[in-house]
Amino acid sequence: MEAYVFSNLLVAALVVGGVVLARVVRRDRLWSEAMGELWRRRRGSILVVAAFVSIGLLDSVAWKGGSVVGDDLLASHEARTVVDRIFQGAKESSYSAPLASESFYGGEALADPGGHWLGTDLLGRDVLHRALKGVRVALLIGGLTSAIAIPLALLMGVGAGYFGGRFDDFVFFVMSTLASIPSLLLLIALIMALGRGTWQVCLALGITGWVGLCRVTRGETMKLRELDYVQASLALGVSHARIIVRHILPNLMHLVVITLVLLFSQLVLSEAILAYLGIGVSGSWGEMINQARNELSREPIIWWNISAAAAAMFTLLLAVNYVGDALRDVLDPRTLRETT
Amino acid sequence: MTAAIEVEGLSVSFPGPDGRQRVLEDVGFRIAAGEVLALVGESGSGKSITALACMRLVPKPGRIDTGRVALEGRELLPLSVPEMRSVRGAGLSMIFQEPMTSLSPVVTVGDQVAEAILLHESVSKRAARERVVALFESVGIPDAAARTNAYPHQLSGGLKQRVMIAMALSTRPRVLIADEPTTALDVTIQAQILELMRDLQRETGTAILLITHDLGIVNELADRVAVMYAGKIVERAPRRALLSDPRHPYTQGLLRSIPALARPGERLEEIPGVVPAPDDWPAGCRFSTRCAIAFDRCRAEVPAERALGPDRSSACFALEPEAGS
Amino acid sequence: MSEVPLLRVDGLRTWFPIKRGLLRRTVGHVRAVDGVDLTIREGQTLALVGESGCGKTTVGRSILRLEEAREGRILYRGTDLRTLEPKAMRPLRQKLQIVFQDPMASLNPRLRVHDILAEGLRSFGIGSPGSERTDRIAALLRRVQLDPAAMWRYAHEFSGGQRQRIGIARALAVDPELVICDESVSALDVSIQAQILNLLGDLQQEMGLAYLFITHDLSVVRYLADEVAVMYLGQIVENGPTARIFSDPAHPYTRGLLEAVPSVDPDRRRARAAVLGDVPSPADPPPGCRFHTRCPERMPRCDQEAPPLFEVERGESRCFLSGPR
């Protein structure tokens, strides 16, 4: 199966998954009230994040063929996404300033004068286009890495907290070891070992990123396990598996969600550092920033490349953090456990 | 003679889903110097808020709506924040229910009590420390001098409460507010603390506002009693009269539901239903929904407190003297 | 008829290791339960009384194997529970249930009442899933005097007393023979406490339940219990029928406990603080008789030898003063 077909199916699955999740949340009164409160507090940020997610989704639906501007025959044989198709303006040969009608060096007429809102880069690619394509990459980094880190953290953390004993000692040992190695060096080593692709970077980030959540879930699980209602279930002969699924995990979900959201920005920024070292994910904002490094020292300065990437990253991460912060307040166990 | 503390018409409200919600309505009492008044009620009666309101420590977003609080004639509510702060701990002291959370865990107990003294009096640190040791001895802490260097977590619940009492009495306050001072303690330790409070009260002549839900403790310490229900005072009487001859249906119900007074095997008398939350207070008498003798007037009007004799009063239509007698 | 009691506990010891240091080495033990014998007959109520740290809660948890004892036999109708594998233990769990102290922590705030009550039914395959279980749950709620419609609400929407009723319903759902009430009324207001005590008494009569009533409140004990066992620092220091314990206590600690409780009788003031000092740590109990450090009737031999349980008229007492002269 070609990559783009896989990607399309994945997006379809995600959308279906999202709808199912929304219905589950709606049925749980405590969660739906919390989400309602969150909307009330952070409408703006939520909309910004939603906008970015939409762009990311649009950039994940691709197909071959269709109309092509100019005589770029190669393009018609590649799978192009919705975002790609919006930017069908012809490629330039090199730099041009935002909204310019002539190239930066040399002053030749552009193929699409005034059409490049954020200018073009060294290879003449539209900067706005590239910035928008970076959205998908950022979401991918956050999403895929979390999909690796969170189940791992839950498995280890809940297991250690609930069963204690030797498993706890083992998890403790692993956590402490990982925490003692500078994460950046470990990341570099892992990526060198695994190779340089997208999922390899995400796997490496996942391996270095699960410890924080694990520590938190372990502590919370140890607390929850001693609560009277868990003891009551034990006295009722309920199996450990059922207790974990019914009593422990649901009372950990708020922590997972908060960690997920706040981890997201950490991951994107980590990837930017990796890109700086040349081992990031291709197409990311980090890569754009890395490639634009030298442009700032030119005379006259070429600022639009790095600004676009930085601005996009900043906007998304700021919105996500805003939401994450409010999420933490809204999902405070005290609010979730409303007593008179 | 000026009362040690006098409270009149005190009302406190908190914001609720439909605007501000009263949790305390028109509460008033006086305590003479050297007297102990017990404020009795169950959870939701408003007794703790009363204590906090006297100290002007009602947690935000709560607010004192109306009323006055006078300490030896001096009005407290209009005072500025720094002025009130100098009153707290000096003229008016308070001890809380949970000694565990009332003491800072990172400062030795000796330093904490000394701090209280130094805050209100200009004495040397040395003199303050000497007073702390003497205070610890007077509250029955064994090995007092050594104990001043202990941290709270090294002390038992009973010892911590003794430290709290020492701290509260260190500045020789005119009035001491004790909010459920022994509820968190074992019964044998409670007996020790009650004995201590009794002795100290006699020696120092401090007036005490004792907040409790336990009528046994009321019997041990109080001179006079005021019973609270759903934010209002429903009965007032001297100790002996209240315990031997309660008049208000709620007080009667409370006394009858105490297991100590029941015979084994007999059903306990119950007060049916639950204490209503402030946003659910019934119109008319707040106890009417649970009262066995409630009649129409009770559900429509709020009864005012009426005297039932010298030094006794109650807010109940069933007890009002007949017209003309 | 066989005289095998419903539950007999024999020489129970539950110790908790104290771990220190990086390698978490065991440096000592908290001897929470240190040699306890109990007997409960069908339909009977045994009260286990003691102050904080005496180990009474641990006894309850050890019986249900929520805590693993290190020594002793727990005989349910003659079968030693401690010898059973978890799989064999499971069906017996149906017969031994527990109601907890804190109404706020004993119910999962994320579950509806229906699911909380259904869990036990599902675990033991009682009733078929669907409407039959729902009917059973409705009947349970009615039995504890709650509206069956409550089953669709979340636990946190109810008051303390109502939550305790739900906790009782959960224990009753699986039709147990013995219910351990671990301080089940201690966190409730006095008037609500009366309701719950009445309910427990009614249920005992209707269903022939036996209770192990763990509490620190002696007045509750007197009302509810047939037999009383008094605990101090991990050991039983006295046991006997309720009436005798209250009218003629043999052990100085029992006497101290009784004298320490403040009475509501206005003619009987002055609870005596006969028991001195603070409770020693269960990790390091005093040598000889564990109570000797606080005993008002201490003799020279008390810090050397540990007294066994001596038989007294109707019961036992762990004190040399109760032994032969």
Side-chain angles (χ1 to χ4, degrees):
Chain A
M1 186 191 300
E2 302 198 49
Y4 78 94
V5 175
F6 182 72
S7 175
N8 293 349
L9 288 175
L10 199 60
V11 170
L14 278 175
V15 170
V16 168
V19 170
V20 169
L21 189 66
R23 296 178 77 189
V24 166
V25 165
R26 197 133 38 106
R27 243 181 328 138
D28 180 316
R29 172 136 47 110
L30 298 169
W31 274 95
S32 57
E33 279 176 1
M35 292 298 115
E37 177 64 24
L38 185 67
W39 173 250
R40 242 169 291 143
R41 292 195 199 189
R42 290 281 185 265
R43 243 179 289 243
S45 303
I46 293 178
L47 287 174
V48 169
V49 174
F52 273 85
V53 169
S54 312
I55 295 172
L57 286 177
L58 287 174
D59 197 28
S60 307
V61 179
W63 64 98
K64 296 192 180 175
S67 61
V68 175
V69 166
D71 46 1
D72 191 350
L73 287 173
L74 197 61
S76 65
H77 290 295
E78 286 175 349
R80 287 175 299 143
T81 70
V82 176
V83 171
D84 291 334
R85 287 165 196 272
I86 294 174
F87 286 89
Q88 296 206 81
K91 231 167 64 133
E92 310 297 344
S93 47
S94 187
Y95 290 111
S96 73
L99 296 170
S101 22
E102 35 179 55
S103 69
F104 200 63
Y105 295 117
E108 298 154 12
L110 294 177
D112 187 9
H116 300 288
W117 292 3
L118 291 181
T120 55
D121 68 357
L122 173 67
L123 301 177
R125 297 176 290 191
D126 185 291
V127 169
L128 179 58
H129 183 197
R130 291 196 70 206
L132 290 182
K133 284 192 84 70
V135 174
R136 178 177 155 278
V137 177
L139 293 177
L140 192 63
I141 293 168
L144 190 55
T145 310
S146 299
I148 296 168
I150 288 176
L152 186 59
L154 280 180
L155 179 69
M156 304 282 257
V158 174
Y162 190 85
F163 295 105
R166 278 202 243 141
F167 188 65
D168 187 16
D169 292 339
F170 163 69
V171 170
F172 207 73
F173 173 72
V174 172
M175 280 201 303
S176 309
T177 310
L178 274 178
S180 332
I181 306 175
S183 47
L184 191 54
L185 296 181
L186 185 57
L187 269 177
I188 296 173
L190 282 170
I191 293 176
M192 291 304 182
L194 294 168
R196 298 245 207 110
T198 307
W199 71 262
Q200 290 94 329
V201 171
C202 289
L203 182 60
L205 284 171
I207 291 175
T208 51
W210 65 273
V211 175
L213 180 62
C214 181
R215 204 177 277 135
V216 169
T217 52
R218 175 179 169 272
E220 196 70 15
T221 304
M222 286 168 80
K223 242 189 343 178
L224 287 170
R225 191 192 44 173
E226 294 308 316
L227 283 181
D228 286 343
Y229 60 80
V230 171
Q231 300 290 309
S233 297
L234 285 171
L236 283 169
V238 178
S239 68
H240 292 304
R242 233 199 135 77
I243 289 180
I244 291 178
V245 168
R246 216 117 214 264
H247 294 293
I248 310 268
L249 283 180
N251 284 302
L252 289 177
M253 273 309 124
H254 65 281
L255 286 173
V256 171
V257 170
I258 292 167
T259 304
L260 186 81
V261 174
L262 295 177
L263 191 62
F264 179 82
S265 48
Q266 208 180 308
L267 293 171
V268 172
L269 290 171
S270 295
E271 189 278 336
I273 295 177
L274 293 177
Y276 195 77
L277 299 170
I279 45 174
V281 178
S282 69
S284 70
W285 291 322
E287 192 187 56
M288 277 177 75
I289 293 174
N290 188 35
Q291 287 171 350
R293 257 191 297 165
N294 299 318
E295 296 166 7
L296 290 176
S297 53
R298 300 206 187 186
E299 179 56 34
I301 194 173
I302 296 179
W303 52 271
W304 47 94
N305 246 327
I306 202 168
S307 309
M313 189 189 290
F314 180 75
T315 310
L316 177 59
L317 296 188
L318 183 66
V320 167
N321 275 327
Y322 243 31
V323 171
D325 226 24
L327 199 60
R328 205 196 336 237
D329 289 340
V330 159
L331 291 180
D332 187 320
R334 255 161 292 164
T335 354
L336 279 185
R337 226 185 285 144
E338 276 290 281
T339 49
T340 38
Chain B
M1 188 177 71
T2 337
I5 182 169
E6 183 170 343
V7 173
E8 199 183 322
L10 193 63
S11 298
V12 173
S13 66
F14 275 80
D18 310 307
R20 290 205 82 89
Q21 184 65 52
R22 279 274 163 88
V23 296
L24 205 62
E25 190 100 45
D26 201 22
V27 167
F29 52 82
R30 339 173 52 241
I31 312 182
E35 198 183 28
V36 179
L37 173 71
L39 206 52
V40 178
E42 299 177 298
S43 27
S45 59
K47 54 193 198 301
S48 284
I49 291 283
T50 307
L52 292 173
C54 291
M55 299 278 283
R56 278 179 59 187
L57 285 177
V58 174
K60 290 210 194 352
R63 185 180 66 199
I64 300 177
D65 289 335
T66 64
R68 42 179 287 270
V69 178
L71 182 69
E72 290 193 319
R74 182 182 181 196
E75 296 293 329
L76 295 184
L77 295 184
L79 292 181
S80 71
V81 171
E83 288 174 328
M84 186 65 208
R85 220 181 278 145
S86 68
V87 170
R88 263 186 230 126
L92 186 57
S93 238
M94 186 158 173
I95 56 180
F96 299 88
Q97 174 176 345
E98 275 290 346
M100 251 174 303
T101 46
S102 318
L103 291 169
S104 167
V106 295
V107 183
T108 65
V109 293
D111 284 339
Q112 292 192 48
V113 181
E115 191 180 13
I117 298 176
L118 291 169
L119 217 55
H120 294 282
E121 299 179 31
S122 44
V123 291
S124 68
K125 278 214 189 131
R126 188 117 178 272
R129 286 220 131 235
E130 282 168 13
R131 267 211 5 227
V132 172
V133 176
L135 272 166
F136 275 22
E137 278 168 4
S138 68
V139 296
I141 295 179
D143 227 355
R147 276 311 201 327
T148 56
N149 293 323
Y151 286 93
H153 69 262
Q154 298 173 307
L155 302 177
S156 68
L159 281 180
K160 280 196 284 245
Q161 201 59 311
R162 289 174 195 269
V163 168
M164 291 287 320
I165 293 173
M167 195 173 349
L169 294 177
S170 64
T171 48
R172 302 187 256 254
R174 302 319 307 147
V175 178
L176 173 68
I177 302 181
D179 187 358
E180 306 263 19
T182 58
T183 301
L185 303 175
D186 282 324
V187 70
T188 50
I189 311 293
Q190 175 178 275
Q192 297 172 10
I193 300 291
L194 288 176
E195 210 172 64
L196 173 68
M197 286 179 71
R198 227 181 3 245
D199 294 339
L200 285 175
Q201 199 264 329
R202 229 187 347 239
E203 278 169 35
T204 62
T206 313
I208 299 185
L209 175 63
L210 174 68
I211 314 253
T212 181
H213 65 274
D214 186 335
L215 287 167
I217 295 179
V218 170
N219 193 24
E220 285 293 319
L221 287 183
D223 297 315
R224 285 167 39 236
V225 189
V227 179
M228 286 187 73
Y229 184 84
K232 288 181 89 66
I233 294 187
V234 296
E235 183 162 9
R236 258 181 246 269
R239 170 192 65 91
R240 171 178 274 283
L242 190 98
L243 291 174
S244 55
D245 182 26
R247 301 285 183 80
H248 193 281
Y250 176 59
T251 318
Q252 292 173 338
L254 262 190
L255 271 167
R256 285 200 284 254
S257 45
I258 294 178
L261 297 178
R263 272 198 295 265
E266 241 180 33
R267 281 186 116 245
L268 291 167
E269 289 230 17
E270 289 178 20
I271 308 180
V274 295
V275 182
D279 53 3
D280 213 8
W281 282 343
C285 172
R286 305 233 172 104
F287 188 60
S288 58
T289 50
R290 306 171 72 193
C291 184
I293 58 175
F295 41 91
D296 290 332
R297 189 176 179 206
C298 306
R299 289 179 260 271
E301 281 174 59
V302 178
E305 261 193 86
R306 296 243 198 263
L308 293 176
D311 215 13
R312 285 202 74 156
S313 63
S314 178
C316 178
F317 290 126
L319 297 173
E320 299 209 336
E322 311 296 15
S325 70
Chain C
M1 185 179 78
S2 143
E3 264 310 307
V4 177
L6 184 63
L7 185 79
R8 193 170 127 224
V9 173
D10 205 5
L12 189 68
R13 269 177 227 279
T14 307
W15 291 6
F16 297 108
I18 306 173
K19 300 205 172 167
R20 290 273 151 78
L22 216 52
L23 296 168
R24 317 235 287 206
R25 244 176 294 130
T26 304
V27 295
H29 290 275
V30 173
R31 304 182 188 196
V33 181
D34 210 8
V36 163
D37 299 338
L38 294 174
T39 306
I40 308 179
R41 302 191 188 284
E42 262 191 62
Q44 210 197 24
T45 301
L46 170 68
L48 190 55
V49 181
E51 297 177 299
S52 45
C54 71
K56 56 195 193 296
T57 295
T58 311
V59 168
R61 288 169 59 95
S62 302
I63 291 174
L64 292 184
R65 293 188 67 191
L66 293 174
E67 248 7 294
E68 285 301 334
R70 75 190 267 127
E71 225 180 276
R73 296 188 304 164
I74 304 171
L75 298 163
Y76 168 73
R77 290 194 188 281
T79 311
D80 188 356
L81 298 180
R82 281 193 70 225
T83 60
L84 297 178
E85 292 286 319
K87 235 192 227 161
M89 177 78 197
R90 241 183 120 261
L92 291 180
R93 287 195 179 283
Q94 199 176 344
K95 299 297 169 196
L96 307 164
Q97 280 303 307
I98 181 166
V99 177
F100 294 96
Q101 168 175 9
D102 185 355
M104 299 307 156
S106 60
L107 304 175
N108 187 337
R110 316 197 49 92
L111 291 182
R112 293 178 205 265
V113 173
H114 175 275
D115 298 327
I116 293 175
L117 297 179
E119 196 172 33
L121 296 176
R122 187 189 289 121
S123 177
F124 294 112
I126 301 175
S128 35
S131 61
E132 198 194 318
R133 281 215 182 123
T134 307
D135 289 339
R136 273 179 191 266
I137 291 174
L140 273 168
L141 288 171
R142 254 179 256 121
R143 191 172 239 173
V144 296
Q145 292 156 14
L146 286 174
D147 182 2
M151 72 170 94
W152 302 117
R153 303 202 349 230
Y154 284 96
H156 67 247
E157 300 179 52
F158 295 94
S159 71
Q162 291 168 322
R163 292 171 74 131
Q164 213 54 333
R165 291 174 194 268
I166 297 172
I168 293 171
R170 173 173 60 192
L172 294 180
V174 298
D175 207 13
E177 293 186 323
L178 170 70
V179 179
I180 299 182
C181 299
D182 189 355
E183 305 262 25
S184 308
V185 295
S186 305
L188 303 173
D189 280 325
V190 164
S191 59
I192 309 294
Q193 187 177 272
Q195 295 175 5
I196 301 296
L197 287 173
N198 279 339
L199 175 65
L200 287 173
D202 293 342
L203 289 169
Q204 182 171 43
Q205 289 206 342
E206 277 169 39
M207 299 174 63
L209 296 170
Y211 290 136
L212 175 62
F213 209 85
I214 298 176
T215 181
H216 64 274
D217 187 342
L218 282 164
S219 46
V220 167
V221 168
R222 181 189 202 155
Y223 173 68
L224 205 54
D226 300 308
E227 305 252 331
V228 179
V230 181
M231 269 189 88
Y232 185 79
L233 273 189
Q235 293 180 325
I236 306 256
V237 295
E238 182 166 3
N239 60 46
T242 311
R244 202 271 298 159
I245 296 270
F246 278 81
S247 60
D248 190 19
H251 195 282
Y253 178 59
T254 315
R255 278 206 288 273
L257 272 184
L258 289 168
E259 285 172 29
V261 178
S263 143
V264 280
D265 181 347
D267 295 315
R268 268 196 60 215
R269 287 185 105 181
R270 308 298 130 151
R272 281 199 338 112
V275 177
L276 322 151
D278 287 309
V279 188
S281 158
D284 191 19
C289 169
R290 294 188 186 194
F291 184 59
H292 84 259
T293 56
R294 307 176 72 201
C295 185
E297 301 178 50
R298 173 161 87 227
M299 300 184 294
R301 77 196 279 210
C302 297
D303 61 358
Q304 317 261 343
E305 302 166 55
L309 274 172
F310 292 106
E311 270 213 33
V312 295
E313 185 193 329
R314 297 187 293 154
E316 296 169 306
S317 164
R318 191 184 290 274
C319 178
F320 290 120
L321 291 170
S322 309
R325 307 235 161 261

